[in-house]
Amino acid sequence: MKESLTLLIKLQTVDSELMELEEALGDLPTQVKHLSRDLETVHQVTGEKEARVQEVEKEKRSLRAKIDDTQVQLKRYKDQLLVVSTNRAYDALTTEIDGADKMIEDGEFHLLELDEEDQRLTDELKEDGLKAEAMGATLGTQQQQLKEALASTEQRSKALGKKREKLVTRIKPRFMSSYERIRAAREGRAVVNLSRGSCGACYNRVPVQRQMEIKAMDRIIICDGCGVILYWDSD
Ligand SMILES: [Zn+2]
C-alpha cells in the first residue's frame, strides 16, 4: 500500500505542475480563438459588401447608358413632332415622349438610390477595413505571446507528460480510477497533504489517531470533509 500511495503522491505532483503550466497561459488561448473567429467574420462581411459594390457599379453603368439612349430617342421624337402631319401620328409621338420622359425620371431617381447605396457601402468598407486592421494587429500580438508562452512551457510539459505515463503504468487501475474521479470532482486535486493537522484542501480537522494512520501509510485515508486522499508531508 505504501508504494501505491507514494506513486499517487508523485502523480499528483506531476498533475499539479501540469495544471500550473496550463494556468500560466491564462485565457490567452481562448482570446486568440475568439478574435480569429471575429476577424474571419469581418473579412466575410467585407467580401460580401465588395461584391455588392461591384454589382451596384455595373447597375449604374447600364442604367446611365439606358438613360443616354432614351435621351437621344427623346430628341428624335421631339424633332419628328415638328414635322408631323396627322393627329394620329402626333398622338402616337406624344405617347412615346411621355414614356421616354418617365423612363428618364425613374432612371435618374434609381441612379440616386444606387449612388447612396454605393456611398454607404464605401463608407462601411472603410470602417470595416480599419476595424480589421486593428483586430489583426491585436491578434498578431496575442498569437506571438501565446507562441512564446507555449515555447517556454513546451519542454517542461512534455517531460511531465512522459513522467506521468510512466507513473500511470505502475499504479493499479482501481487506484487510478479513484484518483481520476476525485481529481475531477476536486478541481484537479485528488491527493492532498495534511497541513498542521488539517486537510490541506478543505481544512477539516483530522483527529490525531487518524493523522497517525495517515503517516503509517498502511491504507488509503480519505478526508471526511471533502473526499480527497490525505497524506503525511514529511517536510
Ligand atoms: Zn478535505
Side-chain angles (χ1 to χ4, degrees):
M1 183 54 68
K2 213 168 233 165
E3 203 209 332
S4 291
L5 264 168
T6 308
L7 287 170
L8 285 175
I9 294 164
K10 281 184 180 163
L11 184 62
Q12 180 66 73
T13 309
V14 168
D15 281 340
S16 295
E17 199 182 330
L18 277 169
M19 275 196 301
E20 273 169 31
L21 288 177
E22 210 171 291
E23 275 163 19
L25 296 176
D27 53 2
L28 203 49
T30 315
Q31 280 179 17
V32 166
K33 202 171 110 191
H34 286 172
L35 192 52
S36 308
R37 203 187 46 202
D38 292 349
L39 187 56
E40 207 175 291
T41 308
V42 172
H43 283 317
Q44 197 187 329
V45 171
T46 299
E48 284 163 12
K49 284 179 185 168
E50 278 167 350
R52 179 59 193 151
V53 166
Q54 296 292 321
E55 261 177 44
V56 169
E57 293 294 339
K58 212 172 135 191
E59 256 180 77
K60 274 162 71 177
R61 272 197 304 274
S62 105
L63 191 53
R64 264 196 209 109
K66 209 171 150 196
I67 290 171
D68 287 349
D69 286 351
T70 311
Q71 260 156 353
V72 170
Q73 191 65 42
L74 185 63
K75 194 176 176 299
R76 212 173 287 149
Y77 290 147
K78 282 180 176 168
D79 289 345
Q80 284 172 18
L81 206 57
L82 299 173
V83 295
V84 81
S85 51
T86 66
N87 277 344
R88 199 187 156 119
Y90 184 87
D91 288 345
L93 269 175
T94 49
T95 306
E96 292 292 347
I97 287 168
D98 287 348
D101 272 337
K102 182 154 179 22
M103 186 276 139
I104 291 166
E105 195 183 321
D106 290 350
E108 272 168 358
F109 182 72
H110 190 44
L111 260 185
L112 281 179
E113 286 178 329
L114 289 172
D115 276 339
E116 271 172 29
E117 189 180 357
D118 201 358
Q119 190 57 52
R120 180 175 56 79
L121 287 169
T122 307
D123 290 347
E124 282 178 16
L125 278 169
K126 211 166 160 187
E127 289 271 320
D128 291 351
L130 292 172
K131 196 170 152 192
E133 214 174 282
M135 285 167 93
T138 307
L139 183 60
T141 310
Q142 286 182 353
Q143 278 171 331
Q144 186 58 31
Q145 283 171 348
L146 184 58
K147 204 174 140 192
E148 280 164 16
L150 284 171
S152 74
T153 60
E154 200 186 13
Q155 241 182 334
R156 184 69 191 138
S157 85
K158 264 189 193 162
L160 286 167
K162 276 188 191 149
K163 202 169 165 187
R164 186 180 206 279
E165 272 173 39
K166 275 187 197 161
L167 282 170
V168 169
T169 58
R170 293 170 62 196
I171 297 169
K172 290 191 181 84
R174 66 189 171 97
F175 288 141
M176 202 53 222
S177 65
S178 299
Y179 172 85
E180 293 293 13
R181 183 175 42 76
I182 301 169
R183 216 163 83 83
R186 301 297 312 173
E187 291 175 340
R189 295 178 85 191
V191 186
V192 176
N193 63 308
L194 271 181
S195 172
R196 294 171 184 268
S198 293
C199 164
C202 72
Y203 301 102
N204 206 44
R205 187 91 199 132
V206 178
V208 176
Q209 176 57 36
R210 260 196 128 211
Q211 290 182 35
M212 291 304 114
E213 287 178 52
I214 290 166
K215 193 175 183 182
M217 292 176 94
D218 290 332
R219 63 186 186 95
I220 285 182
I221 309 239
I222 301 285
C223 169
D224 289 335
C226 68
V228 299
I229 297 167
L230 290 167
Y231 76 94
W232 184 278
D233 193 353
S234 48
D235 297 338

